[in-house]
Amino acid sequence: NAGVTQTPKFQVLKTGQSMTLQCAQDMNHEYMSWYRQDPGMGLRLIHYSVGAGITDQGEVPNGYNVSRSTTEDFPLRLLSAAPSQTSVYFCASSVSGRAHEQYFGPGTRLTVT
Amino acid sequence: AQSVTQLGSHVSVSEGALVLLRCNYSSSVPPYLFWYVQYPNQGLQLLLKYTTGATLVKGINGFEAEFKKSETSFHLTKPSAHMSDAAEYFCAVKGLDSNYQLIWGAGTKLIIKP
């Protein structure tokens, strides 16, 4: 099992550019989520999904889109990058009903200039 | 609204000394509580959890935490710190409004002095 994988590890974008952060898991987990981590603020939930075809907004969804066409993949799209989106992004997954016991990917460090 | 407060953004202890990381929560019902650990340049991993039952919970790497309802606390302890414990530790509580969300503390970075 590779667990939860994220690509890329690092990314630098210019303001206004778009990109997709990739997340995949091979544990057949129904629940997947995206967080951003900023110093002194812990983790903030961006979007989550409880299964293929079902997504919902978290605490800070503005500027981000998600889709879940398969159980394995949950990409996060930045539509028009802004410096405020400079952060470390984590993808996580868990078994349905146990969303509090999440498995995290290694993270993507994004810088927007 | 629920919240989680971790006292101290940085805690420094000497190797071999007691580790105490503080977490207080606000919740109107008995909570599910968690500690996660993040080693440098890695994702988070579950250290331990309290759901129901015994209030003293043991986790990986010799850590334990005690749920104290009267104090609304869930402090993390380890009797003797190792250099390998240097990491950031996050306390979290399961959201009341959702089966899918955790409310996170801001994190405490544990520094181990040789």
Side-chain angles (χ1 to χ4, degrees):
Chain A
N1 273 357
V4 180
T5 57
Q6 292 183 237
T7 55
K9 280 189 174 304
F10 301 94
Q11 183 70 49
V12 179
L13 290 178
K14 295 188 188 306
T15 298
Q17 287 184 317
S18 62
M19 79 159 295
T20 299
L21 307 185
Q22 301 292 345
C23 174
Q25 53 89 13
D26 61 0
M27 297 173 283
N28 202 32
H29 285 169
E30 298 88 350
Y31 179 78
M32 296 185 75
S33 57
W34 276 102
Y35 292 92
R36 59 178 290 172
Q37 183 182 32
D38 301 292
M41 300 189 74
L43 293 171
R44 291 184 291 169
L45 183 65
I46 304 171
H47 286 284
Y48 66 95
S49 169
V50 301
I54 306 169
T55 64
D56 206 347
Q57 296 182 352
E59 181 186 357
V60 289
N62 291 342
Y64 308 95
N65 271 0
V66 292
S67 59
R68 184 101 178 266
S69 56
T70 67
T71 298
E72 294 79 20
D73 300 296
F74 191 44
L76 178 73
R77 280 182 290 278
L78 279 71
L79 308 172
S80 177
S84 61
Q85 293 179 303
T86 294
S87 187
V88 181
Y89 291 85
F90 288 100
C91 179
S93 74
S94 70
V95 174
S96 179
R98 299 179 74 83
H100 44 276
E101 296 185 25
Q102 297 181 27
Y103 292 80
F104 283 80
T108 294
R109 188 174 294 274
L110 176 68
T111 302
V112 183
T113 62
Chain B
Q2 287 177 288
S3 64
V4 176
T5 302
Q6 292 183 240
L7 191 61
S9 59
H10 293 77
V11 169
S12 181
V13 303
S14 297
E15 192 173 18
L18 171 72
V19 175
L20 171 61
L21 304 182
R22 298 178 189 274
C23 173
N24 290 88
Y25 66 90
S26 68
S27 180
S28 57
V29 299
Y32 286 12
L33 293 157
F34 309 88
W35 277 99
Y36 278 79
V37 59
Q38 183 181 28
Y39 296 104
N41 300 313
Q42 294 186 27
L44 284 74
Q45 63 182 88
L46 182 64
L47 192 58
L48 51 77
K49 64 180 180 183
Y50 168 79
T51 54
T52 58
T55 56
L56 182 62
V57 180
K58 294 187 186 301
I60 60 173
N61 300 335
F63 283 92
E64 60 184 35
E66 187 170 11
F67 167 57
K68 291 188 176 180
K69 184 178 177 182
S70 61
E71 299 177 7
T72 60
S73 69
F74 191 56
H75 301 331
L76 182 70
T77 60
K78 182 174 180 178
S80 176
H82 294 173
M83 295 300 292
S84 60
D85 295 327
E88 190 156 18
Y89 293 79
F90 292 90
C91 183
V93 61
K94 177 179 170 299
L96 287 176
D97 298 332
S98 168
N99 284 326
Y100 308 107
Q101 295 193 21
L102 292 174
I103 311 299
W104 294 86
T108 296
K109 188 161 287 189
L110 178 62
I111 300 160
I112 311 296
K113 297 179 291 187

